[in-house]
Amino acid sequence: MEDTQPAGRSLEHMPIPLFATVMGTAGLTLAWRAAEQAWGWSAAISTTLTAVVVLLFLFLSAAYSLKFIRYREAVKAEFHHPVKMNFFPAISISLVLVAMLLQPHVTWLAGLLWLGGAALHITFTLVVMGIWIGQRPFQIAHINPAWFIPVVGNVLMPLAGVPLGFVELSWFFFSVGVVFWLVLMTLMFYRFIFHDPLPERLLPTLAILLAPPAVGFLAWTHLNGGEINAMGRILYYTGAFIFLLLVLRARGFGRLPFFLSWWAYSFPVAAFAIATVTMAGMVPSTFLAMAGALLVLLTTVLVIALVVMTLKAARAGKICVPE
């Protein structure tokens, strides 16, 4: 059966980074849920967004599964690409995020989705790290913030795992994510300082640096019984520093043309918004409460802007095309 799409635009060229849209919209949903719970707001927005995220994930999963069936060589080429291979774990992360969204509504289904997502993610982590370690040579220019996705995605697991009762498994994933986050952060800054800058297309992925400490803080609070301590403060304020560092570079980011990599902004900013709202509840502070509200608003504006730009790019035939 032949594609009915115009030449140059087909399922064969559906990019794996599209799953970052699920991560971004799920992050926005969780940010609104945190705000609603913290300040007694109606749950209407987060409930509506949950439905949107689930439908988006199902659509992209079906489309990419069809791509795998019909264009297996194209999928293999993506998996062996030094940058794109790191976006495959966005599928398992998206599955875990969907489990987090469904946990208050359908607990048994959330548990199954979490187990499936966790198993898939550790598989991706092992395979990708195996490739890093010795199956193929890499140059320092290949490393970029997207490399955090396979490893540090493990830090996300306790956010749903602990409430669902998978405490020891959550500790396992958290340990893997935190230790290798530190390793990758060291390599990343070596690359930033002593080698050529990131190519323009990958500059938005710098925002991914914000995700590990923000998600790490949230995971630690779950594992620590919801109490704040020195470790929690270190993780949160490390995230705050990286956020300020990114803000200083915001003007430069704004001059870039739109790429799908712009979605790299969404989930980390959402994670930091959730962390700030959570921190404001644990360390009563008017400043943190105001900052949390502003970050939820910023995340909302950011995701809306990304949706609009993505739809415009799709309409202009700039998505699902050969690179």
Side-chain angles (χ1 to χ4, degrees), residues 289-302:
M290 292 176 61
L294 288 173
L295 284 165
V296 171
L297 178 60
L298 173 63
T299 305
T300 304
V301 172
L302 177 60

Side-chain angles (χ1 to χ4, degrees), residues 154-159 162 170-171 174 178 212-226 235:
N154 291 283
V155 180
L156 181 72
M157 300 303 164
L159 273 66
V162 171
S170 295
W171 272 110
F174 180 80
V178 167
V215 176
F217 164 75
L218 294 168
W220 180 254
T221 59
H222 279 70
L223 292 167
N224 196 45
L235 288 167

Side-chain angles (χ1 to χ4, degrees), residues 143-220:
I143 193 169
N144 63 81
W147 282 41
F148 279 114
I149 299 173
V151 171
V152 186
N154 291 283
V155 180
L156 181 72
M157 300 303 164
L159 273 66
V162 171
L164 289 168
F166 304 112
V167 178
E168 288 304 313
L169 273 176
S170 295
W171 272 110
F172 166 74
F173 284 106
F174 180 80
S175 302
V176 172
V178 167
V179 169
F180 287 99
W181 163 44
L182 297 175
V183 173
L184 283 177
M185 184 67 100
T186 303
L187 292 173
M188 208 69 64
F189 270 86
Y190 173 78
R191 187 250 195 272
F192 293 157
I193 295 170
F194 296 109
H195 291 269
D196 293 335
L198 288 173
E200 187 178 72
R201 192 179 191 90
L202 290 178
L203 280 176
T205 64
L206 284 171
I208 297 174
L209 299 177
L210 177 60
V215 176
F217 164 75
L218 294 168
W220 180 254

